[in-house]
Amino acid sequence: MSSNVDILVDRFTWIDYLVFCLMLAVSAVIGIFYGCFGKKQDTKEFLMAGKSMTTFPVAMSLIASFMSAITLLGTPSEVYQFGFIYWLIGFSYILVMPAAAHLYFPVFYKLQVTSAYEYLERRFHRAVRWLGSCLCIIQMSLYMAIVVYAPALALAQVTGLDVYISVSLICFVCIFYTTLGGMKAVLWTDALQTLIMYASMMFVIIKGAVDVGGFDAVWEKNAESGRAQLIDFDPDPTTRHTFWTLIIGGYFTWITIYGVNQAQVQRYLSVQTKQMAINALWINLVGLLVLMITCSFGGMVVYAKYFDCDPIRAGIVTKGDQLFPLFVMDTLGQWRGLPGLFVSGIFAGALSTVSSGMNSLAAIVLEDFVKGGCYPGISDNVATWVSRGLSLFFGLLTFGLVFVAEQLGNVLSAALSIFGMVGGPLLGVFTLGMFFPWANAYGAFIGEVISLIFMFWIGIGHQVARSNGQIRLEAMPTSIDGCVNMTIIEPTFLPTPEPEEALGLYRLSYMWYSATGCFTVIIVGLLVTLVTGKQDVRAIDPRCLSPAVLWFKKWLPGLDGLGEDYINEEEGLKENQSSSSLGSTNPAFNSDMMEKTFNEFVQEKECSKL
């Protein structure tokens, strides 16, 4: 058994290391270019790329930020072990992108925020903003650690390089170019890394499919084992993957990311025009669909290769997340340089996610806790250096949290579970603010806290129940009949008493976590609002509401005079400032874009009186 692994490791030659190091070097050079030779960096340049980016790099970065090593390693493993039905999650993206582009993004664009959580203070209260920011920091820090650990496993499998050396390479290269080059370096390295990611995955999967006899042979082998199931309408919410969990639950999981996540909002606002951001989202949709279907088919190709000799049962690998790297070395190991391309693709996905996370977390802490709290009068020069320091800190924190990530098991479900447990309540509080004008700050804060407690109770309860054997993931059948020249030692299990039945909520599919957390905030928030008194809708800044509310406000009860007091107050301030020739000091109306937005609302108010 060990000799087989050694043979695979030996196939990773100096040429592969050269290809891999070249990718790291190019990423570092991009950071040096924008840090030392590009436009002089201030806070806006470092965090928002000076709002000068175009559609292509932003679209590539949107793909790379969350479709990283988690997707490249986790999806083929998921399909190999549990079947092709996971491909249905791609249809949730078709719902997510229009909603992100037309229901959530316009709010952030009108307000021109740097931190997405500035919205929560404008709509509710500073306490709601700080709570949301803290949750995002926890969510992104854990997610980045998982993203780093996943490719470290891949590199250990194909090269024999120690996992922690791999982790160090990812973290410190990422820290270097992100801290030095800021958002422009992040976006352009993301674009490069996305292209590497696609090229490596496409080549590996096409070559693997050809080797096992083509598409028909791949499908036939998977159909025989039951893995080729395309759809399952089981309404049971405890069934891990069904049509409903993957499309409806998947929608709430991914709208959390593309609708309100800081890393994505920051990218939307780094472009020159609103339409560029919308175009980037549509390009991103196509890219995600292609990548998801490709990776799902990749899992079928892996099964077709190992259908009669399961590497996990044979002891060649220890975890499902190592299956695809093993497949790569079996398929491409004799082609010098190509395994290096694959490892570069895996690392590229990790680098893009971690760099995005570092930059976005720096923006959150600077805007929400430094400028919005302890040091509101900070100079721009000091703020830029604080941003660099925060990027460095979160890079080092990611390195430390890797030791937690390795205890979380399957990287795909672990990552999506974290997004559901933390992201669901965050999505809920933004949705409550944007779609329910009557909701007040008490409802938002209490709803978010209760939702968070509830989701952690479910998530931690699920993990404990799994460790106690009360919940078991039943993988699809595999065979070791075709294993030759190998000593197979099947594990023996001593008889143990049957564990007690787990609480029903603990069995809830992890794909429902975001939806559950979101609706908990909305329901609790509205109930608390009823008890404590509704928000005065006349005093709300209309820009804080989703366009959907403004489209249908005539048909919604209790919205008479929506935003009128706020608009009249701002109009009065504007007239006073104009007459005194001091200019606007209100940050909400401090740009041409805000002026246009303000006038639109004034015109809308006048039209509604006619």
Side-chain angles (χ1 to χ4, degrees):
M1 177 179 66
S2 60
S3 61
N4 290 339
V5 177
D6 291 339
I7 290 171
L8 293 177
V9 168
D10 291 340
R11 291 179 181 176
F12 201 86
T13 66
W14 68 268
I15 298 177
D16 299 296
Y17 280 107
L18 182 63
V19 171
F20 167 59
C21 290
L22 182 62
M23 186 276 294
L24 293 180
V26 171
S27 298
V29 167
I30 292 174
I32 293 171
F33 175 79
Y34 283 108
C36 301
F37 303 104
K39 184 178 178 181
K40 184 179 178 181
Q41 288 189 341
D42 54 14
T43 308
K44 182 179 177 182
E45 186 75 16
F46 185 81
L47 296 177
M48 306 295 289
K51 299 184 183 294
S52 62
M53 300 305 294
T54 54
T55 299
F56 174 76
V58 172
M60 294 299 100
S61 184
L62 288 174
I63 295 171
S65 294
F66 290 96
M67 285 297 183
S68 61
I70 299 299
T71 300
L72 302 184
L73 297 177
T75 303
S77 170
E78 170 68 34
V79 172
Y80 178 93
Q81 295 181 88
F82 300 102
F84 188 63
I85 193 172
Y86 187 73
W87 81 290
L88 285 173
I89 199 169
F91 287 94
S92 70
Y93 306 150
I94 299 174
L95 303 177
V96 167
M97 298 310 155
H102 300 291
L103 299 182
Y104 289 91
F105 160 66
V107 176
F108 297 112
Y109 188 82
K110 289 173 184 176
L111 295 174
Q112 285 292 291
V113 296
T114 298
S115 164
Y117 302 96
E118 292 178 47
Y119 167 83
L120 297 179
E121 181 174 354
R122 294 194 188 185
R123 175 63 179 86
F124 294 118
H125 188 271
R126 181 170 292 185
V128 183
R129 173 182 182 176
W130 284 346
L131 176 60
S133 300
C134 289
L135 292 183
C136 182
I137 291 170
I138 294 170
Q139 177 193 40
M140 286 299 297
S141 297
L142 289 174
Y143 181 72
M144 288 191 298
I146 295 173
V147 167
V148 169
Y149 181 62
L153 276 180
L155 197 61
Q157 180 65 44
V158 299
T159 69
L161 187 62
D162 183 80
V163 169
Y164 298 107
I165 294 177
S166 305
V167 167
S168 300
L169 280 172
I170 296 173
C171 287
F172 292 112
V173 170
C174 197
I175 287 171
F176 176 78
Y177 74 76
T178 304
T179 304
L180 189 63
M183 177 61 92
K184 282 186 178 177
V186 170
L187 291 172
W188 281 111
T189 51
D190 280 358
L192 168 69
Q193 291 155 3
T194 301
L195 296 177
I196 295 173
M197 198 163 55
Y198 273 88
S200 60
M201 288 300 292
M202 293 290 186
F203 188 87
V204 168
I205 292 170
I206 292 172
K207 174 66 166 58
V210 171
D211 286 350
V212 298
F215 176 86
D216 291 342
V218 170
W219 191 267
E220 181 181 350
K221 288 286 191 301
N222 281 268
E224 290 172 357
S225 68
R227 283 172 171 78
Q229 182 182 16
L230 293 177
I231 200 163
D232 179 1
F233 287 107
D234 183 358
D236 185 354
T238 65
T239 302
R240 190 164 176 268
H241 288 159
T242 67
F243 174 88
W244 311 108
T245 61
L246 291 168
I247 295 183
I248 307 302
Y251 166 81
F252 284 95
T253 299
W254 289 105
I255 197 62
T256 300
I257 295 170
Y258 284 94
V260 301
N261 184 273
Q262 169 66 22
Q264 306 299 64
V265 170
Q266 210 169 327
R267 275 147 188 73
Y268 303 153
L269 299 181
S270 69
V271 297
Q272 300 169 17
T273 67
K274 178 180 178 181
Q275 191 58 47
M276 283 184 177
I278 294 174
N279 292 344
L281 272 166
W282 287 111
I283 294 172
N284 173 72
L285 170 60
V286 175
L288 290 185
L289 285 173
V290 171
L291 187 62
M292 179 54 61
I293 293 174
T294 300
C295 290
S296 297
F297 181 68
M300 300 180 79
V301 175
V302 174
Y303 177 76
K305 186 172 184 65
Y306 299 121
F307 74 96
D308 61 349
C309 185
D310 176 29
I312 300 176
R313 289 176 60 188
I316 300 173
V317 297
T318 57
K319 294 184 177 182
D321 304 311
Q322 296 174 326
L323 284 167
F324 199 65
L326 172 71
F327 169 78
V328 169
M329 291 308 298
D330 267 344
T331 304
L332 302 180
Q334 296 178 354
W335 294 34
R336 293 188 176 185
L338 291 181
L341 178 65
F342 167 75
V343 172
S344 297
I346 297 294
F347 260 69
L351 287 167
S352 62
T353 301
V354 176
S355 62
S356 301
M358 288 168 55
N359 193 270
S360 63
L361 291 177
I364 289 173
V365 175
L366 177 69
E367 295 294 327
D368 297 341
F369 296 103
V370 179
K371 290 184 177 180
C374 61
Y375 196 176
I378 188 172
S379 69
D380 190 73
N381 184 54
V382 174
T384 303
W385 283 103
V386 169
S387 300
R388 293 180 188 272
L390 289 169
S391 290
L392 173 63
F393 168 76
F394 283 111
L396 295 174
L397 178 64
T398 298
F399 179 75
L401 288 175
V402 167
F403 298 93
V404 176
E406 66 178 332
Q407 306 300 321
L408 295 178
N410 182 286
V411 294
L412 184 66
S413 59
L416 294 181
S417 294
I418 289 171
F419 267 110
M421 291 162 59
V422 181
L426 282 175
L427 174 65
V429 75
F430 277 100
T431 303
L432 184 70
M434 292 183 187
F435 292 87
F436 297 89
W438 318 276
N440 65 22
Y442 293 108
F445 188 87
I446 295 172
E448 192 172 2
V449 170
I450 290 178
S451 176
L452 188 67
I453 294 171
F454 183 51
M455 293 315 302
F456 268 86
W457 173 50
I458 293 175
I460 293 173
H462 175 83
Q463 292 296 329
V464 172
R466 280 188 61 182
S467 64
N468 293 337
Q470 294 174 299
I471 297 176
R472 297 176 183 174
L473 295 180
E474 297 294 335
M476 304 197 80
T478 57
S479 171
I480 54 174
D481 294 341
C483 297
V484 295
N485 300 324
M486 220 179 268
T487 302
I488 308 297
I489 303 176
E490 287 278 22
T492 57
F493 299 97
L494 297 174
T496 57
E498 191 69 23
E500 296 181 5
E501 186 73 14
L503 186 68
L505 273 175
Y506 297 162
R507 295 183 174 276
L508 182 70
S509 170
Y510 72 97
M511 291 300 301
W512 285 119
Y513 283 7
S514 283
T516 304
C518 177
F519 281 111
T520 300
V521 173
I522 293 171
I523 293 170
V524 172
L526 292 177
L527 290 174
V528 172
T529 294
L530 285 175
V531 173
T532 58
K534 296 180 181 180
Q535 167 73 44
D536 180 7
V537 297
R538 298 177 63 91
I540 291 179
D541 180 352
R543 293 169 302 169
C544 289
L545 300 176
S546 172
V549 175
L550 303 177
W551 296 336
F552 299 107
K553 69 176 186 177
K554 291 183 179 180
W555 294 276
L556 296 174
L559 295 188
D560 293 337
L562 175 65
E564 286 190 1
D565 290 351
Y566 177 87
I567 292 174
N568 289 334
E569 181 180 353
E570 291 297 334
E571 190 175 30
L573 287 172
K574 183 181 165 194
E575 289 175 354
N576 290 337
Q577 290 162 356
S578 176
S579 62
S580 62
S581 300
L582 294 177
S584 175
T585 59
N586 186 341
F589 292 89
N590 209 24
S591 69
D592 292 340
M593 195 284 303
M594 289 294 100
E595 182 79 15
K596 180 180 177 182
T597 303
F598 173 79
N599 289 332
E600 287 174 353
F601 279 118
V602 171
Q603 291 170 10
E604 182 179 327
K605 182 188 72 170
E606 295 300 325
C607 290
S608 66
K609 292 179 179 179
L610 298 178

